[in-house]
Amino acid sequence: MQLPDLSLLVLDTETTGFVPRTHRIIEFAAMKIQGGEMTKEYEQLLGIKGEVPPHIEVLTRIRTEDLAGKPVFSSIASTIEDMLSDDPIIVGQNIGFDIGMIKGEGLDLTDRPWIDTSMLASLVFPELESYSLGYVSSVLSLNHTPKHRALGDVRATTELLARCWERLLELPKQERDLLISLSTKGPEGYKRFFAALPESSSPTKPMWLTAPAYPSASKNNTIVELTAPPTKEISLLEEPLGASFLSEVLASVVKKKDGVRHWVAVKNLEAAIHRTGIPDGVSVLVPPHLLIDPVHQERFLAQQEFTADELTLAIKLHLYKPVKQADMPIHGDERHVFEGKLAAKWGSDAYLSQELTDVILLDHRSLLKHLHEEEFARTGTHHMILDDASMLEDTATKAWGWYVNVSSLRAASIGDTQLTKFTDLLQLWIEKTRSGTDLRYIVGSDLLSREAEGLRTQLADLHIEHEPVASMMEHLSAILNPDNLGGRIVYIEVYMDGGQYLNSVPLDIATELKNALYDRFPTTLLIPPQSDKNLHAILPRGTQTQVTKQSSLESRVAVCFPDNCDLEKRIESCEGKTIILVSGKRTIEDMYIKYAEDLEKKNVTLLCQGLSGGQGRMQAEFLAAPAPVLMLMTPWMYEGLDLPPNSVDHLVIHALPFDHPSHAVISRRSERFQNAFIEYSFPRLLHRLFRLLRTFARHTQPSGDVCVTDTRIATRDYGKDIKGYLEQFSRKGSTIKEEKTVPSESIEKPKLVKKRSVKKKGDELEQQTLF
């Protein structure tokens, strides 16, 4: 193990939660390193008032009774200060969290030099799917014992630091000198760390320092018959479960060579490219928020000082020479810096100068943004093809919405006194307006208040240098304008991580799409099978359509509906790699508390949404862990999962993925329908179920199966309609008879409860009981 010749203190904490002063440290561990050698190892359990929360007991294996008679944190503060007596660099994985929690206990280390190993790993291990300590320990074979405890994390962190240092030593002189030069603008810890790099003897760049390229698509594609319909008549093309269908669509329009510019829009551009590749003749239009503007990059790199996240991002810009975000590894709060200081803007030269062919692959949001440009409609003949059209309501909401991410605004304001002051005032107004609630609709009186008027005045006087911030300020100006309340849903939302967002979105997406898209361009929508009569959210009533059905439903999956929905038995007898979809994070936490320790004794890896990191980390650890593996998550997270083929054995849908009736946007839009459940909520459910099956079909083993265990299939009248819809996707030989399908008319009007859900406010609870 090779480490820099520096004084280092590697530390970690185990805590009862994530909020300093509210939650407490229950274990502290550290390792002192001098001259590249360990000189001291320390760990201590810490007593607290009250009990350790049940999920923390399971997560850390530290019980409330284990802390009885243990010293409190203040009694070991002097021991920690002794280890800091020679002013070492503090080292940790996501060290900002530990420093914040330690400060909450009364010991302020914020002015001490520090470095974050997760950020260093993201610099030099671009091939890793995640930078969580558990994942990198598995992939890089780090010593991570004892598992779940602070000392185990310290040992793994130390070895990770050594592996990062070894890769840094592989850099040639030019890159090594550049790192040292850039680090002089950054925090003291990084400055010392990079300055310790010895002279380089490497003549060439290491293999790991290679920017990724777009994958190529298969050249053996089935031709899909795609004919542009007349304007104002929508072509509906049923989409099978198979992962190759998008490639087939792209290959088909490339071969047309009909002088028409075909715009093929997908929900998630990066995921689609990763999954299908790029056929010859197809160009990719990178959306501006993922594209680096060279002017912004030059201004950013010219800064006199960098925060820690700015420094690591600046180093990546030099090492990987990216054009877009996907060309480099990006981690943590670097994303906020990218959005606030590097990203291009709609209409900027960086965005408009991308070279385009007659077949363009882009995301829904980019296409929908272009539709509002008058010049766009005058430049040749266009055919709009929208993949995953069942998601069009959601993506159009984002495209035509106005949004302000206060965290990104805060990141962009660093070094700008005027913008920092304005951001402070904006947050004060948000806090006063929301009055402690996580969701607050903005009404006219909120925007006519003295504080809102003051924000509008200051906003008009702001001098914004960075275009990404200028774009955000345009959205803020529109949100704060009382004249823009009509026909829009305007609200403040606070996420679980404390992030604050201001949002304003259209109320009626179908009419917006009609005016901007359907009435102006030939349009083809790729839709789930048997959904042509259930698209009220995106097609105004009376819209002329022509439907092309698939002659065969390829890539079917085994779907079953067991009479005995014993989830506990299924968990305890887990085999292979299984994903279980449940209703929410509280359910996941309860299941984690109940099963985690017993499953570990059986050598079953358990991954849980909200407890095992974000989506990227969970995906990476799911793939890296040997079977059996069990992953618990919500259907909404599963929809975005991007796993390789043949990586999942079983999918259990234990909770039907209805939209939550109190969702800020869904609840307001549902009021527009006479029967919100039949006309709006139920179709959205069917569409989401199709997308769940399609996601599974993309990464399942050939023998994989889907098991639907939600009891509402048997107990609710609409259950048989859901069952019938899903049965059409079940392959031969599964427990479901293939010929048992549900007529489209029965899907359009499922048999539900006798009482109808209406728009009256007093009936809100009645509607919620349907879910």
Side-chain angles (χ1 to χ4, degrees), residues 149-192:
R149 300 296 289 270
L151 185 58
D153 287 353
V154 164
R155 290 169 177 167
T157 298
T158 302
E159 291 196 10
L160 176 57
L161 179 66
R163 298 293 290 273
C164 292
W165 184 252
E166 290 162 7
R167 281 213 165 178
L168 287 169
L169 295 178
E170 297 175 7
L171 292 173
K173 180 180 182 344
Q174 182 177 354
E175 280 71 22
R176 175 258 186 197
D177 292 348
L178 187 62
L179 260 67
I180 294 174
S181 175
L182 284 172
S183 68
T184 61
K185 297 182 178 183
E188 179 65 21
Y190 288 98
K191 192 182 304 182
R192 289 192 206 173

Side-chain angles (χ1 to χ4, degrees), residues 530-534 549 741-750:
Q530 297 192 22
S531 66
D532 54 290
K533 295 181 176 63
N534 293 317
K549 296 183 178 293
T741 56
V742 59
S744 59
E745 56 266 25
S746 67
I747 291 178
E748 184 185 11
K749 296 180 179 180

Side-chain angles (χ1 to χ4, degrees), residues 364-393:
H364 283 182
R365 184 179 178 185
S366 297
L367 176 63
L368 295 169
K369 282 281 189 181
H370 280 300
L371 296 178
H372 287 300
E373 300 170 5
E374 292 185 11
E375 185 177 347
F376 181 70
R378 296 197 297 264
T379 55
T381 304
H382 305 275
H383 177 201
M384 307 303 178
I385 305 170
L386 289 94
D387 180 41
D388 219 351
S390 66
M391 286 295 298
L392 191 52
E393 179 190 1

Side-chain angles (χ1 to χ4, degrees), residues 425-715:
L425 293 174
L426 176 63
Q427 285 196 282
L428 287 172
W429 176 77
I430 289 173
E431 289 300 325
K432 180 179 179 180
T433 303
R434 76 183 186 91
S435 299
T437 60
D438 291 339
L439 175 65
R440 168 67 151 74
Y441 291 104
I442 294 176
V443 297
S445 59
D446 298 324
L447 300 180
L448 295 174
S449 67
R450 185 181 61 183
E451 293 88 347
E453 179 61 35
L455 284 171
R456 288 192 290 272
T457 300
Q458 291 206 26
L459 185 56
D461 294 336
L462 274 179
H463 175 65
I464 305 298
E465 294 185 358
H466 303 297
E467 282 193 14
V469 183
S471 178
M472 202 183 307
M473 289 306 189
E474 289 175 6
H475 284 208
L476 179 58
S477 178
I479 291 172
L480 293 176
N481 187 343
D483 295 337
N484 290 333
L485 279 176
R488 299 187 72 87
I489 306 167
V490 188
Y491 59 101
I492 298 168
E493 190 168 19
V494 180
Y495 287 6
M496 289 185 67
D497 62 2
Q500 296 176 331
Y501 296 81
L502 285 170
N503 311 278
S504 174
V505 302
L507 177 62
D508 182 359
I509 286 295
T511 299
E512 296 279 345
L513 286 168
K514 178 181 184 297
N515 295 335
L517 177 61
Y518 308 144
D519 285 353
R520 299 170 64 206
F521 303 101
T523 302
T524 297
L525 303 180
L526 276 56
I527 62 172
Q530 297 192 22
S531 66
D532 54 290
K533 295 181 176 63
N534 293 317
L535 299 171
H536 307 307
I538 62 172
L539 289 179
R541 296 186 185 278
T543 302
Q544 295 296 310
T545 62
Q546 56 181 25
V547 184
T548 302
K549 296 183 178 293
Q550 296 301 309
S551 58
S552 64
L553 289 169
E554 58 186 58
S555 300
R556 298 185 182 211
V557 295
V559 184
C560 65
F561 303 85
D563 294 330
N564 181 11
C565 303
D566 191 342
L567 186 62
E568 182 171 342
K569 184 177 180 180
R570 182 172 292 275
I571 291 174
E572 292 177 344
S573 61
C574 174
E575 59 181 22
K577 295 204 170 186
T578 301
I579 299 174
I580 299 180
L581 308 183
V582 296
S583 57
K585 294 181 180 179
R586 178 59 61 86
T587 303
I588 293 172
E589 184 177 302
D590 292 342
M591 294 171 71
Y592 177 78
I593 294 169
K594 185 174 183 179
Y595 299 112
E597 292 182 270
D598 288 341
L599 289 174
E600 185 173 322
K601 292 174 184 176
K602 298 177 182 178
N603 294 317
V604 177
T605 299
L606 177 63
L607 301 170
C608 295
Q609 179 179 340
L611 296 168
S612 302
Q615 178 180 316
R617 173 180 168 182
M618 290 183 68
Q619 287 181 172
E621 294 190 11
F622 183 82
L623 293 173
V629 182
L630 182 61
M631 185 153 63
L632 304 178
M633 59 176 50
T634 63
W636 295 269
M637 186 175 191
Y638 179 71
E639 268 193 73
L641 220 58
D642 188 17
L643 296 170
N646 303 313
S647 59
V648 182
D649 297 293
H650 312 289
L651 174 68
V652 179
I653 303 176
H654 191 63
L656 292 173
F658 282 106
D659 292 304
H660 197 287
S662 63
H663 183 279
V665 176
I666 296 297
S667 61
R668 288 297 173 93
R669 286 187 179 152
S670 66
E671 295 173 358
R672 299 175 49 249
F673 297 92
Q674 185 178 8
N675 190 317
F677 185 80
I678 293 176
E679 299 177 73
Y680 187 55
S681 299
F682 193 73
R684 281 180 61 89
L685 169 71
L686 296 183
H687 299 162
R688 183 170 288 116
L689 286 170
F690 169 78
R691 295 196 299 270
L692 295 179
L693 290 188
R694 185 183 58 188
T695 298
F696 181 71
R698 289 168 176 168
H699 55 227
T700 181
Q701 296 275 6
S703 59
D705 58 72
V706 178
C707 195
V708 185
T709 61
D710 192 310
T711 57
R712 287 173 290 186
I713 295 292
T715 61

Side-chain angles (χ1 to χ4, degrees), residues 44-58:
Q44 179 63 60
L45 289 174
L46 299 166
I48 60 170
K49 293 180 180 180
E51 297 184 347
V52 178
H55 69 284
I56 298 296
E57 287 190 329
V58 177

Side-chain angles (χ1 to χ4, degrees), residues 708-732:
V708 185
T709 61
D710 192 310
T711 57
R712 287 173 290 186
I713 295 292
T715 61
R716 295 299 180 98
D717 288 338
Y718 58 74
K720 59 180 175 292
D721 296 293
I722 295 172
K723 183 177 179 180
Y725 181 75
L726 293 177
E727 283 177 342
Q728 68 178 305
F729 303 108
S730 186
R731 64 168 174 257
K732 292 181 180 179

